[in-house]
Amino acid sequence: MQHRPLAGTAVSAIGLGAMPLSIEHRPDEAQAIATVHAALDAGVTLIDTADSYHWHAGEVGHNELLIARALARYGGDTSGVLVATKGGRGRPGDGSWTVTATPEHLEQAAEASAKRLGVEAIGLYQLHKPDPAVPWAESVGALRALLDAGTIRAAGISNVTTEQIREAHAILGDGLVSVQNQYSPAVRDSEPELQLSTQLGLAFLPWSPLGGISRSSLDGPSGPTSVGTAFHRVAAGRGVSPQQIALAWLLARSPAVIPVPGAGRPASITDSAGAADLELSTEELTQLEDTLPI
């Protein structure tokens, strides 16, 4: 398993997006824990979660608690696993998502997340989404306060623009280590944010990285899955899945990229992890690029 730098350590080049294990249509706990264990068996050392990854009202922190249980029950060494969580979003239980990024909320949310994860300090804490009702500098200032207090060891931001990255970097300095935006073969709106992250030495964690190849967990069971793309053709030639080709393409975009594909089954994350050691040729990359939306 190849590794890339994040939060002062080296993590697997492919992480596990744990959201599908706790939201709508989630698997039972036995399958969910087996999925986390399969990720660890495959060499995954980055697990991405959030306090808002849950289905019903009153379940705040469901995914964080699940990850903590899965790690505790794993038979191997988990000391090198980085659990990255997020705060600033909520789920009332009706399928909708809310945003609350006041300093007071983020401070309380981070402390609660640390308790659920069973850690003294969160390895990587990410502001889940800018709150239009709160000045960006105030929300980022809360991350600065959490860093200074030792509640978190490193900070990240998600769903942000280049301007917000620059402002957060000015406030947090070396404390800012990552950006997490949607980015995939089908959705490349965050190309400027990816390039800026690379320039600033920040890790870039694409969420929903298989868009255009596989449906997102947010799409539900009826969401469409693309077929017959260049990714499928290259995959057939390699004898691997189109998902692996998509993740390998992402890794080739920049050394800053660390995809966190979601998984609800052990087989899914085992397959995704294989992309970390899949190097695409120049010809293959050209074939893929020529078919992508501009």
Side-chain angles (χ1 to χ4, degrees):
M1 172 71 76
Q2 293 186 26
H3 289 73
R4 294 191 167 184
L6 175 63
T9 186
V11 300
S12 55
I14 300 291
L16 169 64
M19 182 176 71
L21 304 177
S22 290
I23 64 167
E24 289 83 340
H25 314 293
R26 65 194 180 201
D28 62 30
E29 180 158 319
Q31 181 174 318
I33 289 180
T35 301
V36 176
H37 288 178
L40 299 174
D41 289 343
V44 171
T45 59
L46 170 64
I47 300 176
D48 182 72
T49 181
D51 61 2
S52 57
Y53 290 169
H54 61 90
W55 185 351
H56 307 291
E59 288 188 327
V60 174
H62 181 281
N63 199 242
E64 293 173 324
L65 290 168
L66 175 67
I67 296 305
R69 288 195 296 274
L71 291 174
R73 297 177 191 176
Y74 187 62
D77 181 16
T78 61
S79 61
V81 176
L82 174 64
V83 178
T85 192
K86 296 181 285 292
R89 300 209 74 177
R91 301 206 74 197
D94 59 0
S96 66
W97 296 75
T98 60
V99 181
T100 306
T102 63
E104 295 78 13
H105 174 82
L106 291 173
E107 179 182 354
Q108 295 170 5
E111 291 173 352
S113 289
K115 183 176 181 180
R116 284 189 290 264
L117 293 170
V119 297
E120 292 184 3
I122 297 170
L124 172 57
Y125 191 71
Q126 304 159 96
L127 176 55
H128 208 152
K129 188 175 184 179
D131 186 340
V134 180
W136 179 238
E138 291 186 14
S139 295
V140 176
L143 297 181
R144 177 75 267 169
L146 289 167
L147 285 166
D148 293 342
T151 307
I152 66 176
R153 293 196 174 96
I157 50 178
S158 183
N159 299 299
V160 289
T161 65
T162 54
E163 292 78 10
Q164 289 167 331
I165 294 173
R166 292 186 186 280
E167 186 172 0
H169 189 254
I171 294 171
L172 298 172
D174 292 341
L176 179 66
V177 301
S178 66
V179 171
Q180 184 168 168
N181 278 15
Q182 184 176 18
Y183 190 87
S184 70
V187 181
R188 296 199 292 168
D189 296 345
S190 282
E191 185 70 33
E193 287 74 26
L194 166 57
Q195 296 305 319
L196 178 58
S197 297
T198 303
Q199 294 168 17
L200 294 176
L202 307 175
F204 186 87
L205 283 56
W207 63 263
S208 197
L210 298 175
I213 307 300
S214 299
R215 64 175 177 80
S216 166
S217 296
L218 293 175
D219 293 331
S222 62
T225 299
S226 298
V227 295
T229 68
F231 288 84
H232 290 77
R233 293 190 290 273
V234 171
R238 285 285 195 129
V240 300
S241 71
Q243 288 80 7
Q244 275 198 26
I245 297 299
L247 293 171
W249 172 79
L250 283 166
L251 290 172
R253 299 297 295 165
S254 164
V257 171
I258 306 174
V260 286
R265 300 178 298 119
S268 297
I269 188 57
T270 299
D271 181 71
S272 291
D277 297 314
L278 181 62
E279 185 173 350
L280 299 174
S281 68
T282 301
E283 292 75 16
E284 288 170 328
L285 288 170
T286 298
Q287 183 179 348
L288 297 175
E289 286 292 330
D290 287 345
T291 63
L292 288 169
I294 298 175

